[in-house]
Amino acid sequence: MSSFSDRYGLWALVTGASSGIGRGFATELAHRGLHLVLVARREEALTDLAASLPTETRVVPADLGTEAGLLAVEAATAALDVGLLVASAGFGTSGAFVDAPFAEERAMLDVNVGAVLHQAHHFGCRFAARGRGGMILLGSLVGFQGTPYAAHYAATKAYVQTLAEALHVEMKPRGVDVLSVAPGPVATEFADVADMQMGATVPVSTVVEQSLQALGRKQTVRPGLLTKVLNAGLRSVPRWGSVRIMERVMGGMTEHQRGT
């Protein structure tokens, strides 16, 4: 644990920390001795989490889909020696693309892509200047091919994946580790928000543990046996075929929306 803080410093920033994967990362990093800046929209949930952690915390309630929210995070971390960014804030939508309210899809773009761009650049510059640091960017298994009935969500995760892959190479000589985390279905509130019905899922603890093990060692991690099985199945067919497979998978998860 001491070697982890030696590598990345005493402070980590975790976005989307109020629940799910972000909360899991925050809890594990605190038990590894890192102080935390916790970011999400739900202040009460962040405050409750902060009270349960064994290290120093700063709570920043912010909507990362807005410029004000992004600037609030910058201001809250300006005087701290943050060395690790865990960009896990995000949400998904599902169903037919043309039936979705545009405002909701635009809001998802702002959070899943715009906020990741902003923070990867801002903290990437800081980490490069200090000569060490790490960034964990939360992608998804759906980001490796088009995914019908989650078309735009998958596209946002494709952005995260390609950005992380490139930054992994660019930032390594500057002492900065960059990792893309690309899980399959995970046991979080995500399905409820996205109006999807999931079957088997990967535990949050598995995602967190395998991601922290991979940081500095791999470019991309696909945590959990379920994710690895799904990935192997998708890689064994041409890309057009993987799109068709995902059409069936997501079609089943969103069948209730169509009343069939």
Side-chain angles (χ1 to χ4, degrees):
M1 293 185 184
S2 61
S3 63
F4 195 87
S5 59
D6 289 343
R7 178 72 183 90
Y8 300 108
L10 292 178
W11 283 90
L13 166 67
V14 181
T15 70
S18 59
S19 64
I21 295 174
R23 187 182 182 94
F25 269 109
T27 300
E28 177 59 25
L29 290 171
H31 284 98
R32 292 188 180 217
L34 273 68
H35 303 310
L36 296 169
V37 179
L38 305 173
V39 179
R41 290 182 299 172
R42 293 180 289 180
E43 183 174 8
E44 183 177 356
L46 291 179
T47 302
D48 290 344
L49 172 60
S52 72
L53 298 178
T55 55
E56 184 178 350
T57 60
R58 305 285 177 90
V59 168
V60 184
D63 181 353
L64 297 182
T66 67
E67 183 178 8
L70 294 170
L71 293 178
V73 174
E74 286 191 19
T77 57
L80 302 177
D81 188 22
V82 175
L84 180 63
L85 164 67
V86 181
S88 61
F91 68 94
T93 60
S94 67
F97 177 71
V98 296
D99 294 336
F102 178 77
E104 186 175 15
E105 298 299 312
R106 179 55 193 262
M108 182 171 64
L109 182 69
D110 291 338
V111 175
N112 292 12
V113 174
V116 172
L117 167 64
H118 182 102
Q119 294 185 326
H121 188 268
H122 176 76
F123 288 99
C125 290
R126 287 183 58 173
F127 298 165
R130 73 202 287 271
R132 63 175 180 150
M135 293 192 286
I136 298 175
L137 308 184
L138 266 293
S140 170
L141 192 63
V142 302
F144 293 96
Q145 69 288 303
T147 303
Y149 305 116
H152 187 215
Y153 171 71
T156 68
K157 293 305 180 179
Y159 173 89
V160 174
Q161 181 62 35
T162 55
L163 179 66
E165 288 176 352
L167 293 183
H168 174 86
V169 176
E170 283 189 20
M171 300 295 282
K172 181 64 71 175
R174 297 172 181 258
V176 181
D177 299 325
V178 181
L179 176 71
S180 168
V181 180
V186 182
T188 68
E189 299 173 355
F190 176 88
D192 293 335
V193 175
D195 192 20
M196 294 162 49
Q197 294 179 344
M198 291 183 179
T201 57
V202 175
V204 167
S205 59
T206 299
V207 176
V208 172
E209 179 183 355
Q210 294 187 8
S211 298
L212 294 178
Q213 288 175 350
L215 183 62
R217 296 178 174 88
K218 295 182 179 181
Q219 180 185 82
T220 299
V221 63
R222 299 168 176 83
L225 179 60
L226 173 62
T227 305
K228 291 177 174 59
V229 169
L230 291 171
N231 180 66
L234 292 170
R235 287 197 303 179
S236 65
V237 297
R239 190 173 175 104
W240 66 264
S242 65
V243 174
R244 287 297 188 181
I245 290 173
M246 292 307 297
E247 177 188 22
R248 296 189 65 178
V249 171
M250 287 300 305
M253 290 183 180
T254 59
E255 187 177 24
H256 64 286
Q257 297 182 16
R258 300 184 293 281
T260 56

